[in-house]
Amino acid sequence: MDKPEEQIDWDSQILGESASIFRLTTHIDFRDAALALAKQATQSIHIFSHDLEAMTYDQAPFLEALTRVAHFHRTTTVQILLRDPSPAVKQGHRLIEVCQRFSSDIKIRCLTEDYENHRETFLIADRTGVLYRDDYDRNLGMVCFKEVHLAEKLLRLFDDAWERSRPASELRRLHL
């Protein structure tokens, strides 16, 4: 019989210091890991997402943490790359509202066809903490609060995709 997954003590993990890698297998794991990273971030958050996974990113505590990071200092960076905005728009995803309200602090763009074969999703906090899933259709991934090499690799992918991305015009607020 398989041993049950160990409960992760998120409060004991320190961004930039804790190098343990934790395997994630549920929506709750991903939600809690994203929140733990966002709560500790002070410099940057980069999100590379298929459809803004609502179970992870449409949670009030995460949105509060993300907003705090965006306002932490004038040099902080919060950037989100999104493959398909349609589900998030249809669901009334609260992260879209936050991005609209704080459009000068939280930037969101859409991936181009160049990245349609990229199935991974990830969040990088302060260029060191990584939440990673290699296939957006599966709840199997990892989190590490100090994984600089993987963070650098994913940031290169993110930066390249950001440069080629397009404005998320379908997410603009309509003023009628």
Side-chain angles (χ1 to χ4, degrees):
M1 182 181 279
D2 286 337
K3 183 178 149 189
E5 291 291 321
E6 198 175 310
Q7 187 68 24
I8 301 168
D9 178 10
W10 296 111
D11 294 332
S12 70
Q13 300 305 305
I14 300 170
L15 186 59
E17 293 181 21
S18 302
S20 297
I21 297 173
F22 296 98
R23 183 173 182 232
L24 306 177
T25 59
T26 69
H27 287 298
I28 293 169
D29 288 343
F30 284 94
R31 178 199 68 199
D32 292 349
L35 175 59
L37 287 168
K39 283 171 65 175
Q40 292 187 45
T42 59
Q43 302 165 15
S44 63
I45 291 183
H46 295 85
I47 298 173
F48 189 99
S49 175
H50 178 72
D51 61 3
L52 289 180
E53 298 90 78
M55 297 288 285
T56 302
Y57 301 124
D58 192 8
Q59 308 299 319
F62 177 81
L63 297 170
E64 290 167 14
L66 188 74
T67 302
R68 182 198 52 79
V69 173
H71 292 108
F72 191 80
H73 191 270
R74 61 182 171 81
T75 61
T76 57
T77 302
V78 177
Q79 294 177 318
I80 301 166
L81 278 169
L82 177 60
R83 177 174 291 118
D84 181 9
S86 304
V89 171
K90 288 177 189 167
Q91 295 169 358
H93 200 299
R94 291 177 289 178
L95 181 52
I96 292 174
E97 181 184 324
V98 169
C99 291
Q100 290 169 337
R101 212 174 30 208
F102 302 108
S103 61
S104 61
D105 300 316
I106 302 173
K107 307 286 188 213
I108 188 166
R109 296 181 63 95
C110 290
L111 292 163
T112 61
E113 304 81 44
D114 300 340
Y115 296 90
E116 66 188 24
N117 293 327
H118 287 271
R119 298 189 58 81
E120 68 264 79
T121 66
F122 55 85
L123 177 150
I124 303 167
D126 288 357
R127 308 183 77 79
T128 186
V130 177
L131 171 62
Y132 180 81
R133 179 174 17 189
D134 67 355
D135 188 329
Y136 61 81
D137 281 335
R138 296 187 349 213
N139 279 326
L140 184 59
M142 58 76 68
V143 64
C144 183
F145 285 69
K146 183 181 180 186
E147 180 46 90
V148 177
H149 296 295
L150 179 57
E152 287 175 356
K153 176 184 170 192
L154 293 173
L155 280 169
R156 283 192 298 274
L157 169 64
F158 187 96
D159 290 342
D160 184 57
W162 187 265
E163 289 301 316
R164 296 170 187 232
S165 65
R166 63 175 178 79
S169 57
E170 51 275 83
L171 304 181
R172 282 196 201 118
R173 183 178 282 160
L174 297 177
H175 298 285
L176 300 175

